[in-house]
Amino acid sequence: PPSSRTTQACMAALRLASTTAAWLARTSTSGVIVKCFPTRARRLPRGGLTQIRASVGTAPRRRVMTAAGRPRGARRVTASAVADADDSDRYKMPPPDVAQFVERPQSPGLSLSPDRSSLLYSFRPPPYPFVSELARPELKLAGLRIDETQNSRSRMSGQTGIALGPIPATEDEINAFQDFKGVPPGATLNYLSWSTDAKSIAFTVRFAGPDVPDEDRAPPELWVADVETKQCRALLPGRGLNTLFESYSWLDPDTIVACVVPEGRGGRPQKPPTPRGPRVQSNTSGNVAQARTYADLLKDAHDADLFEYFCTSEFVKVTVGTGEATPFTSESAIYTRCEPSPDGEYVIISSVERPFSYEVPCGRFPKRTWIVNRAGKTVREVCALPLADKIPIVHNSVREGPRAINWRPDKPAELYWTEAQDGGDPRIDASPRDITYTADMHEDANAAGVPTFQTDLRYGGVSWGADGLGLLYESWYKTRTLRAWVVDTFKRPNRAPRLLFDRNYEDSYDDPGSPMTRRMPNGAYLLAQMTGPLPTDGWKPAEFKEVEGDVRMRPGPVEWETGVTLIFSGEGASDTGDKPFLDLYNVDTGATRRLWQCRGEGALERPGSIISDAGGVEITLDTLKILLSRETPSENPQYYSLELGASGDALTTRRITDFPHPHPALVDPPKQILRYKRADGVDLNATLYTPPGYDAARDGPLPTIMWAYPREFNSAEAAGQLRDSPNRFTSISPMSPLVWLARGYAILDGPSLPIIGAAADGVEPNDTYIEQLVAGARAAVDACVEKGVTDPRRIAVGGHSYGAFMAANLLAHAPDLFACAVARSGAYNRTLTPFGFQAEERTLWQAPETYMAMSPFMFAHKVKKPILLIHGEEDTNSGTNVIQTERFFAALKGNGAEVKMVLLPHESHGTRGFESVCHTLAETSDWLDAHTSVSAVEAAAEKDKKEAELAAKL
């Protein structure tokens, strides 16, 4: 007979089906829904709801014992009290009011055609694959996880289909499109890209999922879709791509260079029955080589052989029209990059080479970069970099040698790259610190690089424009400095770099925004420069913000002029919330003129790409069109076309999408942004959500969940700024704390918990981490209680990753504030991350007191409130290996704390498997209900009282 949980799951499934059916009933029959929202039943074996329940654990699961004797796929659940034997090895389903958020509809991805006439819709599968898909064998090599049956990254998602429609001009054209034909049923599509002439779309096809046997899994194939006929076909039938580093690149509208598995490749290397010898690592030269605690590194020579075998590829050149393929490179290698020049005449090629390392991931292995011509012949060697195992762990550290090697987008084939003059170590004084070089391949392919730019801070990139205009960026972490310079990229005389601004990038209120770019006919993007008549009134002169103790460079006199006006877009952060904007920006004077700004009256509108740039036409106020997203607290984001006129007013806001609400059963939970102060006067803010229909006067205080993530700042002023909008859509994913609104909890989401330092005074934020963390949490709790929303006895604290670390510390150092905690994928012992963590640059040996004081593991004896620890067994994050949770659980249990540990098989730093997501919600629901109920907190209070009385007697 079905259990009560089975009945609940059936109800949840029926509720989801009814809401989906209701949405189907009010939508056009264009076909988008079938593609966009495949039901879970499509992804399960036959058996309907019974089979769905079997897959999540209410029916007995097939037990396949591993060598260790534990069922493969079973959770490991450990608690300080013995768990129910019948429940300990099965996945659980959460209550229906929480389960409803797991299978929310997936909106399609959108891509504008290069000619700006069409929208490409890419339809997505359900967001959470079954754990059986995550459990597939994978190789863990040099920081990669490889599916060897497909010679690709494991755990890849993708699209289930594609369709094409016009950019809607009327309501009837919204969601009107045609499906492409010819894609095999059940295929997964990846790496979609347009040809520059908008006549073709390339993509890869592979077969994956729980119903695909190993014999049908193979490396992805390269396909192409004809935009006019809507017909798809294989370009390289039977030839698999190697997509571990590179997939393919368009050389021109009719030519693609594809990265393929070497033809005639033999079988994979087999591990010898007897080791070749011991693993030997040495540092006989006494080098200082520090590294974070990376996951999935090479372990031995056999791992190195496997890495080389699966990552080795070759390039072929294929003609789109005929399918004719010819070799593009003369030999196989571990190719990691294939980047054609804007004119398609040259290509940047990069590869990884031996010797490999057991201490760092493949991104730091020896690397070679060179240039080939259109025929694949090498014409220039750019660099051959050695193993980069000695990059300092401090911010602004970079690899020594040429880096950021790219093509200038404003030239047919001019190379540019940057080289550090300080050896890549920001602790070394150097002026200049970085030099950027250029080399025109058409003038002389082997000429030495010409020094073009130099920076005294760390080079941060160039925004290239037409007619020799460029914006050069440099930054410095210690002072949170960002500088932008106007530069002449043609290197004309008497045009020295001119400072545009020097600002504190932590100061959101003073952010001028970023320059918008426009697409050129060759597919390159340049700065969007305005032409034609511009408004003469409403211009705001450039301002220089002076802050005591914060020394900034002031722009000097304009010694040469560009005559250019750009378009800047920004978030518009303010003390009343984000109000995104578009500005005209005079590059010569720094003056700005507001073109448009979100009013902030019930909606959040954000500008995106320019969509009136087809064919390289000039951009004027009369023709300017911007892709705009609009959302409200109850309406999910939709896209619009914002059309501006010469007056600068919005003439038309035309809707172009109609995506369904992702969780129609909980549309508009009430929320308010709280503003309050820490005890030391630092301004703080948080977003407080309450269940729909809640009235504090009528219903009284609620149990509350505080979900947070601390962040480091260099000043109290920046830490106190609001970086959110009251009009942002309330999106509720299953791993969000907002799901508990459906169960009557109030949620304090994202309270600012700044950890503030003062670099100028040599004060590191983490030196007072605990004191600042507790002060911020206490201020947040007081603000909620003062509102009458929160019952101070029934507050749970939780977080993910660094938020989990925070939650554990708060239970240890502020036990009076919280009834319990939920910590997901955290790190708890900082001695296990001795070469820095988060924003901490010092090593354990440089700051042992800080490492110890910040580690809740060292204060396990002080944790007296219940804590739920959840962690993926295959966590790849460098700072949160699963051993962190295992050791913390042992420490807590050894000190008598009430604790439960749930280790999720096959999960990484974030939870992806359908069963894992459901189980995480079920465990969390049970934990919160058990420890934040009135009876639970009263019992805990009585227990604390008795323990205090006993301690006083002793």
Side-chain angles (χ1 to χ4, degrees):
S3 67
S4 60
R5 286 192 181 274
T6 304
T7 304
Q8 292 174 352
C10 291
M11 290 173 62
L14 291 172
R15 177 183 297 177
L16 175 66
S18 65
T19 55
T20 304
W23 192 82
L24 280 166
R26 70 175 179 85
T27 311
S28 65
T29 58
S30 59
V32 62
I33 308 308
V34 175
K35 292 283 188 180
C36 210
F37 318 114
T39 63
R40 175 58 62 175
R42 286 182 61 189
R43 297 177 54 79
L44 286 170
R46 297 182 181 88
L49 284 176
T50 303
Q51 190 64 35
I52 291 176
R53 291 304 306 131
S55 72
V56 292
T58 53
R61 303 178 73 237
R62 180 167 176 255
R63 297 170 65 87
V64 182
M65 301 305 292
T66 64
R70 186 164 60 88
R72 184 184 297 128
R75 296 171 301 101
R76 240 191 316 156
V77 180
T78 317
S80 50
V82 178
D84 185 293
D86 294 332
D87 240 7
S88 62
D89 66 346
R90 296 193 178 116
Y91 289 104
K92 298 178 181 178
M93 277 294 287
D97 41 16
V98 172
Q100 64 177 311
F101 298 103
V102 177
E103 285 290 72
R104 60 189 219 160
Q106 288 279 88
S107 296
L110 294 181
S111 174
L112 282 166
S113 62
D115 62 7
R116 304 313 197 215
S117 66
S118 306
L119 287 175
L120 175 65
Y121 296 79
S122 54
F123 304 109
R124 299 165 177 165
Y128 301 105
F130 286 113
V131 170
S132 61
E133 187 67 14
L134 304 184
R136 290 190 52 76
E138 57 185 358
L139 299 172
K140 302 171 184 177
L141 303 171
L144 304 180
R145 292 196 170 182
I146 301 173
D147 182 337
E148 62 178 291
T149 64
Q150 299 190 335
N151 215 110
S152 64
R153 303 287 179 104
S154 62
R155 308 183 182 211
M156 287 175 61
S157 185
Q159 290 79 39
T160 58
I162 54 176
L164 194 69
I167 295 181
T170 65
E171 288 288 329
D172 292 339
E173 290 184 338
I174 297 177
N175 288 349
F177 51 75
Q178 289 180 279
D179 289 317
F180 283 91
K181 298 165 288 188
V183 178
T188 297
L189 282 55
N190 294 96
Y191 305 113
L192 279 73
S193 69
W194 290 87
S195 62
T196 54
D197 63 1
K199 293 181 179 180
S200 303
I201 300 166
F203 55 94
T204 63
V205 167
R206 62 189 175 92
F207 293 90
D211 299 326
V212 180
D214 278 359
E215 57 268 23
D216 291 340
R217 292 175 180 258
E221 290 188 352
L222 180 62
W223 281 57
V224 67
D226 186 287
V227 170
E228 183 178 356
T229 65
K230 308 296 184 296
Q231 191 66 43
C232 303
R233 58 186 170 88
L235 259 189
L236 291 170
R239 192 76 192 270
L241 269 62
N242 187 336
T243 60
L244 285 171
F245 291 109
E246 184 60 273
S247 54
Y248 65 88
S249 297
W250 288 94
L251 205 57
D252 60 48
D254 193 45
T255 311
I256 289 176
V257 175
C259 187
V260 297
V261 174
E263 198 164 27
R265 182 177 70 173
R268 74 195 296 274
Q270 298 300 310
K271 190 166 188 174
T274 302
R276 301 176 190 176
R279 288 177 56 189
V280 177
Q281 300 182 56
S282 64
N283 190 35
T284 54
S285 58
N287 290 321
V288 176
Q290 302 172 349
R292 295 285 175 105
T293 47
Y294 298 111
D296 301 337
L297 300 179
L298 298 178
K299 297 183 293 296
D300 52 33
H302 177 61
D303 273 2
D305 291 343
L306 287 174
F307 174 79
E308 185 171 44
Y309 174 83
F310 284 104
C311 294
T312 296
S313 59
E314 57 192 23
F315 286 120
V316 297
K317 185 166 64 174
V318 57
T319 302
V320 174
T322 64
E324 179 185 2
T326 56
F328 186 66
T329 48
S330 59
E331 58 185 17
S332 300
I334 304 177
Y335 292 113
T336 59
R337 188 181 183 193
C338 174
E339 185 73 28
S341 60
D343 66 358
E345 293 300 318
Y346 296 93
V347 181
I348 299 173
I349 303 289
S350 293
S351 69
V352 162
E353 300 182 336
R354 286 182 181 264
F356 304 146
S357 170
Y358 297 151
E359 299 173 339
V360 292
C362 58
R364 296 192 177 190
F365 286 0
K367 176 183 177 181
R368 177 188 170 214
T369 298
W370 67 103
I371 309 298
V372 301
N373 61 18
R374 189 179 177 85
K377 179 182 177 181
T378 299
V379 295
R380 181 188 183 100
E381 290 287 341
V382 179
C383 65
L385 304 179
L387 178 70
D389 61 346
K390 296 185 286 293
I391 299 177
I393 61 172
V394 297
H395 292 89
N396 295 126
S397 298
V398 295
R399 189 170 189 161
E400 196 169 5
R403 69 181 196 277
I405 304 166
N406 289 297
W407 297 110
R408 283 182 58 158
D410 65 326
K411 292 278 192 171
E414 184 167 314
L415 203 64
Y416 75 99
W417 68 92
T418 300
E419 297 185 30
Q421 307 302 297
D422 57 6
D425 189 343
R427 297 168 298 187
I428 296 175
D429 290 332
S431 180
R433 191 169 293 278
D434 278 320
I435 297 178
T436 298
Y437 299 86
T438 57
D440 193 319
M441 298 300 298
H442 286 297
E443 289 184 1
D444 184 349
N446 288 299
V450 177
T452 305
F453 315 123
Q454 63 184 39
T455 62
D456 283 337
L457 306 182
R458 186 62 74 206
Y459 167 81
V462 180
S463 294
W464 301 86
D467 304 320
L469 172 68
L471 298 183
L472 172 67
Y473 297 94
E474 60 178 337
S475 64
W476 200 248
Y477 175 78
K478 282 291 187 184
T479 56
R480 308 304 197 266
T481 296
L482 175 65
R483 291 177 189 160
W485 299 83
V486 181
V487 293
D488 183 84
T489 63
F490 288 170
K491 303 179 289 292
R492 288 170 287 200
N494 302 318
R495 292 200 172 192
R498 174 164 49 82
L499 183 66
L500 190 64
F501 58 74
D502 179 347
R503 57 178 297 268
N504 179 350
Y505 63 73
E506 277 188 346
D507 186 353
S508 299
Y509 293 176
D510 189 42
D511 187 355
S514 302
M516 299 189 74
T517 59
R518 52 87 46 82
R519 185 184 175 99
M520 302 303 291
N522 62 3
Y525 280 83
L526 298 179
L527 291 169
Q529 300 176 200
M530 297 296 295
T531 60
L534 297 175
T536 57
D537 61 342
W539 288 87
K540 180 181 178 182
E543 295 180 350
F544 181 77
K545 183 177 180 179
E546 294 191 62
V547 179
E548 185 178 353
D550 188 12
V551 180
R552 301 286 165 189
M553 295 177 65
R554 182 186 291 271
V558 178
E559 297 179 352
W560 56 277
E561 294 186 349
T562 65
V564 169
T565 298
L566 301 177
I567 310 172
F568 270 53
S569 67
E571 289 297 317
S574 71
D575 58 3
T576 58
D578 291 350
K579 295 177 183 177
F581 64 85
L582 292 171
D583 273 355
L584 294 177
Y585 197 108
N586 188 307
V587 174
D588 295 327
T589 66
T592 58
R593 205 272 192 184
R594 183 82 11 123
L595 270 183
W596 170 90
Q597 184 164 24
C598 172
R599 292 187 175 91
E601 298 172 355
L604 175 62
E605 298 168 324
R606 304 177 67 179
S609 305
I610 294 174
I611 57 177
S612 54
D613 56 355
V617 299
E618 294 183 341
I619 297 176
T620 68
L621 282 182
D622 288 327
T623 61
L624 181 62
K625 295 181 181 179
I626 306 283
L627 189 66
L628 182 80
S629 69
R630 185 182 190 277
E631 60 192 273
T632 72
S634 61
E635 298 174 354
N636 50 307
Q638 304 290 351
Y639 287 109
Y640 292 76
S641 173
L642 175 67
E643 302 174 8
L644 301 174
S647 64
D649 297 325
L651 299 181
T652 306
T653 305
R654 180 161 43 86
R655 184 167 178 162
I656 61 177
T657 63
D658 185 18
F659 299 145
H661 198 289
H663 38 82
L666 187 56
V667 171
D668 189 15
K671 69 175 180 180
Q672 55 182 313
I673 292 180
L674 304 182
R675 308 298 297 269
Y676 51 96
K677 289 183 180 291
R678 208 165 68 177
D680 58 0
V682 175
D683 291 319
L684 303 176
N685 59 78
T687 305
L688 178 63
Y689 295 85
T690 53
Y694 169 74
D695 181 89
R698 180 192 64 210
D699 303 322
L702 297 173
T704 299
I705 302 170
M706 187 181 97
W707 200 266
Y709 193 99
R711 298 187 185 278
E712 296 84 358
F713 288 90
N714 200 40
S715 71
E717 292 75 19
Q721 293 180 351
L722 178 62
R723 296 172 176 84
D724 198 0
S725 168
N727 301 314
R728 192 180 304 278
F729 172 61
T730 303
S731 178
I732 306 177
S733 70
M735 301 306 286
S736 162
L738 300 184
V739 299
W740 310 112
L741 291 168
R743 291 188 64 76
Y745 288 83
I747 309 297
L748 187 67
D749 191 31
S752 49
L753 296 174
I755 310 300
I756 305 168
D761 300 327
V763 177
E764 294 292 336
N766 286 338
D767 289 343
T768 54
Y769 173 86
I770 295 299
E771 295 86 343
Q772 294 193 64
L773 180 70
V774 172
R778 192 172 299 280
V781 167
D782 290 346
C784 293
V785 173
E786 186 179 341
K787 283 283 182 182
V789 171
T790 295
D791 183 341
R793 305 169 302 163
R794 304 165 66 196
I795 305 175
V797 62
H800 176 263
S801 194
Y802 207 53
F805 172 71
M806 165 215 72
N809 265 312
L810 286 174
L811 278 202
H813 299 289
D816 59 308
L817 292 180
F818 304 104
C820 65
V822 177
R824 299 176 184 167
S825 303
Y828 310 102
N829 183 352
R830 284 304 167 195
T831 68
L832 297 179
T833 55
F835 293 109
F837 56 90
Q838 206 70 5
E840 179 58 63
E841 298 181 320
R842 299 166 297 180
T843 69
L844 168 64
W845 299 275
Q846 292 171 322
E849 297 84 2
T850 297
Y851 273 68
M852 298 290 281
M854 290 181 69
S855 298
F857 179 86
M858 304 301 173
F859 300 92
H861 62 293
K862 288 190 171 185
V863 176
K864 303 301 181 184
K865 298 293 179 68
I867 182 169
L868 172 63
L869 305 173
I870 303 177
H871 211 126
E873 285 190 326
E874 303 293 334
D875 195 331
T876 60
N877 190 47
S878 62
T880 54
N881 188 285
V882 67
I883 196 174
Q884 291 273 4
T885 288
E886 293 174 323
R887 295 292 183 265
F888 191 41
F889 171 78
L892 291 169
K893 184 177 178 182
N895 282 278
E898 185 176 351
V899 57
K900 187 173 188 178
M901 179 176 69
V902 179
L903 302 183
L904 300 169
H906 311 296
E907 296 292 349
S908 186
H909 193 56
T911 307
R912 286 194 60 201
F914 175 71
E915 298 95 327
S916 300
V917 170
C918 289
H919 189 87
T920 297
L921 292 175
E923 291 280 6
T924 306
S925 182
D926 291 346
W927 195 257
L928 294 173
D929 289 350
H931 299 294
T932 61
S933 66
V934 173
S935 59
V937 297
E938 289 178 348
E942 183 63 26
K943 178 184 176 183
D944 291 344
K945 180 181 177 182
K946 291 181 179 179
E947 289 180 350
E949 292 174 349
L950 179 59
K953 291 179 180 178
L954 294 176

